[in-house]
């Protein structure tokens, strides 16, 4: 059984920073691309950023230059450093990972439970 556990959300003023972490735990698995999505009230869930095992990154236009995604492959952990936060960044942030379960080699997407980020103006 693989789980994604997130931490680091909270309340911050506009212009401030937060760092989210997400660790994949369990046994007999390999984590592929990992990323962060967010969902604001009344809106669809959207990709914020993702990162491959090799370190290639992809960002939503709305966060380019402000957010940085990184990962520690040895710890199966992905991070999201969020700087210059804006009220429109307020959302529940979800961690996502492509997980290859061994020895069956079944590949599935896993989701974290979500962490609230609130940016006040």
């Amino acid at each position: 059984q693989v789980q994604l556990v997130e931490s680091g959300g909270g309340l911050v003023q506009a212009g401030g920073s937060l760092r989210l972490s997400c660790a994949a735990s369990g046994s007999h698995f390999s984590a592929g691309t990992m990323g962060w999505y967010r969902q604001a009230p009344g809106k669809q869930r959207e990709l914020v950023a993702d990162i491959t095992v090799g370190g290639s990154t992809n960002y939503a236009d709305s966060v380019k230059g402000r957010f940085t995604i990184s990962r520690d492959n040895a710890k199966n952990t992905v991070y999201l450093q969020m700087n210059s936060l804006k009220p429109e960044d307020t959302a529940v942030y979800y961690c996502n990972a492509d997980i290859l379960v061994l020895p069956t080699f079944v590949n599935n997407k896993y989701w974290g439970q979500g962490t609230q980020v609130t940016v006040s103006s």
Side-chain angles (χ1 to χ4, degrees):
Q1 184 76 7
V2 177
Q3 288 186 318
L4 301 182
V5 179
E6 301 150 348
S7 61
L11 173 64
V12 65
Q13 288 188 331
S17 299
L18 284 173
R19 188 188 193 215
L20 306 182
S21 299
C22 171
S25 63
S27 59
H28 308 297
F29 72 94
S30 176
T33 297
M34 302 182 78
W36 293 93
Y37 287 70
R38 67 186 181 186
Q39 187 166 19
K43 295 188 177 182
Q44 289 189 329
R45 191 173 297 189
E46 62 176 0
L47 174 69
V48 176
D50 60 22
I51 183 169
T52 66
V53 173
S56 296
T57 59
N58 176 45
Y59 293 94
D61 288 342
S62 59
V63 307
K64 284 181 181 177
R66 301 188 297 121
F67 292 9
T68 302
I69 190 169
S70 60
R71 66 187 288 167
D72 183 331
N73 289 332
K75 296 181 179 180
N76 291 309
T77 299
V78 63
Y79 306 96
L80 186 68
Q81 178 66 43
M82 304 185 292
N83 298 329
S84 302
L85 282 160
K86 304 176 181 179
E88 51 264 43
D89 294 318
T90 296
V92 178
Y93 284 69
Y94 296 91
C95 176
N96 172 269
D98 290 331
I99 299 292
L100 185 68
V101 178
L102 306 171
T104 59
F105 291 93
V106 173
N107 191 71
N108 282 313
K109 283 190 178 293
Y110 284 73
W111 292 91
Q113 79 281 5
T115 185
Q116 178 70 45
V117 171
T118 302
V119 184
S120 63
S121 58

